[in-house]
Amino acid sequence: SVAAAAEGTAYNVNTGLISITGDATLVYLKNNEDTALIVEAIALGSFDGITHTDDPYITVVRNPTAGDLITDATAVSMNQNRNFGNSNTLAANVYKGKVGGTVTGGDDIAILQVAPGSRSFYTINFLLEKGSSIGIKLTANVSSGSANYYAALICHLKDTNL
């Protein structure tokens, strides 16, 4: 939200580019803040270069517990405060995935279709209390080729006055 950005409690988390040649894990975030974290939206970039057997899609996983998406602990490329004049950082474990990556446990909460060769934006407004987590995996349906993807989580801490 704009109010959270003004307060310095809004963040953009982005994997950076991941070269995709098949199914993959994309991003994991575990909230370590004492305050609940609201994931307002997911932005997903899918570049040209893949021939698909069917439309690709992402699956959002609620509270995943295992898999190399978590154990590899590969830092995302961007984890920034959305207020350019604020240096607050998000207390969270935030990792990027890889082709052939795994994420297990938890519950699937959403399946979202990807627009190949385009940017997709999904407003989700999921609330992650302290200790809660979210993971995203890609079913790419690749028959040939490769392309870069990125996943971003646009989030902010819940206003404790509400």
Side-chain angles (χ1 to χ4, degrees), residues 1 9 14 16 24 34 46 61 72-73 107 109 125-126 133 148 151 158:
S1 78
T9 60
N14 190 306
D34 290 330
S46 163
V61 183
D72 284 358
D107 297 297
I109 190 167
N125 290 310
F126 290 154
S133 60
N148 285 324
K158 181 178 179 277

Side-chain angles (χ1 to χ4, degrees), residues 1-2 10 36 44 48 55 68 76 81-82 98 108-109 116-117 126 145:
S1 78
V2 174
L44 186 74
D48 288 327
D55 290 336
D68 59 24
V76 294
N81 194 302
R82 288 173 31 208
K98 63 184 178 185
D108 294 351
I109 190 167
F126 290 154

Side-chain angles (χ1 to χ4, degrees), residues 8-32:
T9 60
Y11 302 92
N12 182 59
V13 174
N14 190 306
T15 59
L17 300 179
I18 301 171
S19 180
I20 298 297
T21 56
D23 293 352
T25 52
L26 295 177
V27 66
Y28 168 83
L29 182 147
K30 178 181 178 186
N31 180 21
N32 296 324

Side-chain angles (χ1 to χ4, degrees), residues 26-161:
L26 295 177
V27 66
Y28 168 83
L29 182 147
K30 178 181 178 186
N31 180 21
N32 296 324
E33 294 277 355
D34 290 330
T35 303
L37 181 70
I38 298 170
V39 179
E40 287 181 60
I42 298 167
L44 186 74
S46 163
F47 293 77
D48 288 327
I50 294 176
T51 301
H52 300 275
T53 57
D54 201 352
D55 290 336
Y57 62 92
I58 59 172
T59 302
V60 181
V61 183
R62 175 184 170 165
N63 294 319
T65 56
D68 59 24
L69 177 59
I70 298 168
T71 60
D72 284 358
T74 303
V76 294
S77 296
M78 297 168 227
N79 184 356
Q80 297 293 323
N81 194 302
R82 288 173 31 208
N83 179 331
F84 285 34
N86 191 294
S87 60
N88 289 347
T89 58
L90 179 63
N93 299 350
V94 190
Y95 309 134
K96 73 187 287 183
K98 63 184 178 185
V99 171
T102 59
V103 60
T104 58
D107 297 297
D108 294 351
I109 190 167
I111 293 175
L112 305 167
Q113 186 174 344
V114 174
S118 183
R119 177 180 177 270
S120 300
F121 191 83
Y122 316 95
T123 304
I124 56 172
N125 290 310
F126 290 154
L127 190 130
L128 281 64
E129 297 287 352
K130 182 176 185 171
S132 297
S133 60
I134 187 171
I136 299 175
K137 58 187 176 180
L138 169 70
T139 303
N141 292 318
V142 174
S143 61
S144 66
S146 67
N148 285 324
Y149 270 66
Y150 67 81
L153 301 174
I154 298 89
C155 52
H156 64 87
L157 297 179
K158 181 178 179 277
D159 184 342
T160 55
N161 296 317

